[in-house]
Amino acid sequence: AQSVTQLGSHVSVSEGALVLLRCNYSSSVPPYLFWYVQYPNQGLQLLLKYTTGATLVKGINGFEAEFKKSETSFHLTKPSAHMSDAAEYFCAVSGPGTASKLTFGTGTRLQVTL
Amino acid sequence: DARVTQTPRHKVTEMGQEVTMRCQPILGHNTVFWYRQTMMQGLELLAYFRNRAPLDDSGMPKDRFSAEMPDATLATLKIQPSEPRDSAVYFCASGFERGYTFGSGTRLTVV
C-alpha cells in the first residue's frame, strides 16, 4: 500500500518569501511522486513529477521538488512566492505496475499575503 | 494541448434520480481514474481502469454507483438512486503510470 502525508493543511507566506510545502510518502515499491495544484473551482493541474533519474525536479511556475529516499520526502519549494501562487496543493504517489493507483494527500492551502 | 473532457460541468438533481457523468480520456492513455472531492473527505478514489478493464472500484458504494468504459473514448460514472450525500465534485483523470491529466470535473448537487 502507498500513502502520502502532507504536513500543514494551511501555509501562509508573504509575497517574495520562500514557499515550502511538505510531503512524506510511504511505499513498498519505488515510488512515482507528483505535485498537483488546484485553483478555486478548477481541476487539478500537474506541477511536477518524479519517476526515475534526477532527484531534483523542476516544474511549472518556478516550483521544484527534491526526492529524498532516505527521508521518504518530496517537499515542494519555490524561492519567491507570488500572489498568483495562492491555491491548494496536493502531493500524490503511485508506482510501477500494479502499484499504479494514484493516492493523494489531504492537501495544503497556500495563502500569499502582501 | 490534449484535454480530458468531462460532461456535464454542473448537475443539479433531485434525490432518487439517476445521474450519469461522462469522461472522454485523452486518446492513447491507458489508465482512467474517477475521483470524488468534498471538503470533508478530500480526494477519494472511486474506481480506475487500465486498458478499459476495471482494476479497483473498492472506493465506490456498490449499491448505487457503477463505473464503466464502454470504449476507449468514453468512461461513465452512474449513481442510481442519488442521495444528498453524493453532492461533490467528481473528477476524471487519464494517463499512464508516470503521469495523469485531470478533467475540469462535474459539480453534482443532489437536493
Side-chain angles (χ1 to χ4, degrees):
Chain A
Q2 297 173 298
S3 66
V4 292
T5 302
Q6 292 185 243
L7 298 175
S9 58
H10 289 84
V11 170
S12 182
V13 300
S14 301
E15 190 174 36
L18 171 73
V19 175
L20 171 61
L21 304 183
R22 299 177 187 273
C23 173
N24 288 88
Y25 71 90
S26 173
S27 178
S28 56
V29 298
Y32 298 156
L33 294 159
F34 308 85
W35 276 100
Y36 282 87
V37 61
Q38 185 178 33
Y39 299 101
N41 299 314
Q42 294 187 26
L44 281 77
Q45 181 183 5
L46 182 65
L47 268 181
L48 50 78
K49 64 180 180 181
Y50 168 80
T51 54
T52 57
T55 56
L56 180 63
V57 292
K58 296 185 184 298
I60 61 172
N61 302 336
F63 285 92
E64 63 182 37
E66 187 170 9
F67 169 62
K68 293 186 176 180
K69 184 178 178 181
S70 61
E71 299 178 7
T72 62
S73 69
F74 191 58
H75 302 330
L76 182 70
T77 60
K78 182 174 181 178
S80 176
H82 193 273
M83 296 295 288
S84 61
D85 295 326
E88 185 105 23
Y89 291 80
F90 293 92
C91 182
V93 63
S94 74
T98 57
S100 60
K101 184 167 64 174
L102 186 62
T103 302
F104 283 90
T106 52
T108 297
R109 184 167 298 278
L110 176 66
Q111 181 182 18
V112 182
T113 60
L114 287 172
Chain B
D1 285 342
R3 293 185 179 187
V4 174
T5 303
Q6 290 187 247
T7 56
R9 289 296 310 276
H10 301 272
K11 176 72 175 180
V12 180
T13 191
E14 292 185 346
M15 183 173 61
Q17 296 298 304
E18 177 178 302
V19 175
T20 298
M21 289 169 272
R22 293 177 174 81
C23 169
Q24 181 178 353
I26 293 173
L27 192 63
H29 283 182
N30 69 349
T31 303
V32 174
F33 293 98
W34 280 106
Y35 287 90
R36 176 171 62 184
Q37 186 178 36
T38 61
M39 289 291 291
M40 295 299 294
Q41 301 297 328
L43 279 161
E44 301 174 275
L45 178 64
L46 297 176
Y48 81 110
F49 298 80
R50 168 129 337 111
N51 297 320
R52 294 178 53 205
L55 287 190
D56 186 350
D57 62 0
S58 59
M60 211 162 59
K62 301 290 192 307
D63 57 338
R64 299 184 301 109
F65 284 59
S66 63
E68 295 180 345
M69 274 201 79
D71 62 62
T73 65
L74 178 65
T76 63
L77 180 67
K78 291 187 180 181
I79 309 174
Q80 168 62 6
S82 58
E83 297 181 0
R85 59 178 166 155
D86 300 329
S87 297
V89 181
Y90 291 80
F91 288 106
C92 173
S94 75
F96 304 95
E97 59 191 27
R98 295 184 179 224
Y100 301 100
T101 301
F102 278 73
S104 298
T106 294
R107 182 175 295 276
L108 175 65
T109 303
V110 184
V111 297

